[in-house]
Amino acid sequence: MLPRIDLHTHSTASDGTLSPPQLVRAAAEAGLDVVAITDHDTTAGWEPALQALPGGLRLVRGAELSCRWNGVEPSLPLHLLAYLFDPDAPELVAELALVRAARLQRGERIVALLRADGIDVSWPEILAGAGGGTVGRPHIAQALIRAGLVATTTEAFGPDWLGERYRLPKEDIDVFQAVRLIRAAGGVPVFAHPRATRRGRIVPDELIAELAAAGLAGLEADHEDHSPAERAHVRGLAADLGLLVTGSSDFHGTHKTVQLGAFTTAPEAYERIVAESSGVVEVASG
Ligand code: AMP
Ligand code: FE
Ligand code: FE
Ligand code: ZN
């Protein structure tokens, strides 16, 4: 049987709802052979996930980096998955700290906007809800749910709320700089959900070609935010550019409905990621 490989998941180190130990146990229970932990802009979940790794499961240490393409006006946010990079590479560590600080500033500003409109959400409570992990809009969504203003996270990301009316940009890492820093740290960069039109504006294929020339390794094709046509387009683009393709759940626990292993990556693509990396080793237990 082919190994089941899920290369994009979140824990409480960012906006997931399972702690890193719970995440790796759930991955084993879901029948995965390989799981990547890819919290937003942090490696804080790596060590606890490693300590709790169940027998037979391989852990790929990674992160999902908040990036920005500054080649258009207004600039466009996008996410890069970074795998098996050195978590102590100074420049990358510094950029991640800046993005996490920018997330705090943006979160507090969003809460101020909500409060100015008479919406009773509390920033200290939202911070407590994030439990020391990277703060994201899903934590604000939880506050809106607690206040009885929306019923679900999906609704909280609608145009009346965090999706548009109370949407504010944050400062992110320039995407070319991010590709360079990930590679310099021995990591392997993969563009997360590049055609997810339902999340907002997407980048043109020309940018992806430029990123490929700059060191991008792959594209995430199979993802719940891509339609079948979008998945096919991403596969075609990857073939044209010589990039690998991945599929992953982007599991967030109960902050989303998608389950671990809902989308998976082919063994050849996974092996290419491991082969191209030199920052940390992929770890197996048992
Ligand atoms: P942030 O990183 O703070 O900008 O928030 C983005 C995060 O919110 C993503 O990583 C997802 O976890 C979540 N998210 C984005 N769009 C949606 C949506 N439409 N429904 C539910 N969660 C979403
Ligand atoms: Fe997220
Ligand atoms: Fe993402
Ligand atoms: Zn993600």
Side-chain angles (χ1 to χ4, degrees):
M1 224 174 63
L2 278 180
R4 299 191 67 227
I5 303 164
D6 187 342
L7 292 182
H8 185 170
T9 74
H10 296 265
S11 76
T12 50
S14 65
D15 56 3
T17 59
L18 298 186
S19 68
Q22 288 170 335
L23 176 67
V24 289
R25 281 183 220 123
E29 276 160 27
L32 293 177
D33 300 285
V34 181
V35 70
I37 182 168
T38 53
D39 279 302
H40 296 285
D41 307 310
T42 185
T43 58
W46 287 14
E47 208 43 50
L50 207 55
Q51 294 302 325
L53 198 63
L57 183 66
R58 285 172 184 275
L59 179 68
V60 174
R61 289 172 280 178
E64 186 172 22
L65 273 50
S66 301
C67 300
R68 194 162 281 275
W69 177 41
N70 294 300
V72 275
E73 185 58 48
S75 60
L76 260 172
L78 58 102
H79 289 169
L80 287 188
L81 292 158
Y83 297 112
L84 299 168
F85 59 90
D86 174 1
D88 297 319
E91 275 189 286
L92 190 53
V93 167
E95 288 288 342
L96 293 181
L98 281 177
V99 175
R100 291 196 304 271
R103 285 173 162 281
L104 286 168
Q105 284 163 15
R106 175 192 60 163
E108 199 165 5
R109 282 170 56 222
I110 292 175
V111 166
L113 282 184
L114 287 161
R115 291 183 66 87
D117 284 350
I119 294 153
D120 188 20
V121 286
S122 139
W123 178 240
E125 232 177 78
I126 290 164
L127 272 185
T134 303
V135 177
R137 284 180 290 161
H139 299 114
I140 304 175
Q142 286 307 304
L144 295 174
I145 293 172
R146 283 196 299 271
L149 295 158
V150 297
T152 61
T153 309
T154 309
E155 205 184 325
F157 275 89
D160 293 341
W161 300 102
L162 304 174
E164 195 176 312
R165 175 146 186 202
Y166 298 100
R167 181 175 193 152
L168 290 178
K170 65 180 184 307
E171 279 168 57
D172 304 298
I173 312 173
D174 176 85
V175 65
F176 288 95
Q177 164 88 337
V179 167
R180 189 179 70 71
L181 291 180
I182 294 165
R183 285 292 192 182
V188 181
V190 171
F191 197 144
H193 42 73
R195 296 291 283 193
T197 44
R198 67 185 67 163
R199 288 176 179 233
R201 294 182 301 146
I202 56 163
V203 305
D205 290 351
E206 291 71 30
L207 173 72
I208 296 179
E210 284 180 40
L211 290 171
L216 184 71
L219 303 175
E220 189 178 54
D222 292 330
H223 185 284
E224 68 163 351
D225 289 353
H226 286 160
S227 68
E230 287 166 342
R231 288 171 207 172
H233 179 85
V234 172
R235 283 183 188 287
L237 187 61
D240 290 348
L241 297 172
L243 299 174
L244 58 87
V245 292
T246 65
S248 12
S249 65
D250 199 356
F251 176 73
H252 279 69
T254 56
H255 281 168
K256 284 189 181 179
T257 53
V258 73
Q259 294 304 309
L260 282 164
F263 299 97
T264 54
T265 296
E268 306 75 57
Y270 161 64
E271 280 154 21
R272 215 169 122 185
I273 290 172
V274 173
E276 284 190 27
S277 70
S278 59
V280 283
V281 294
E282 158 245 28
V283 182
S285 159

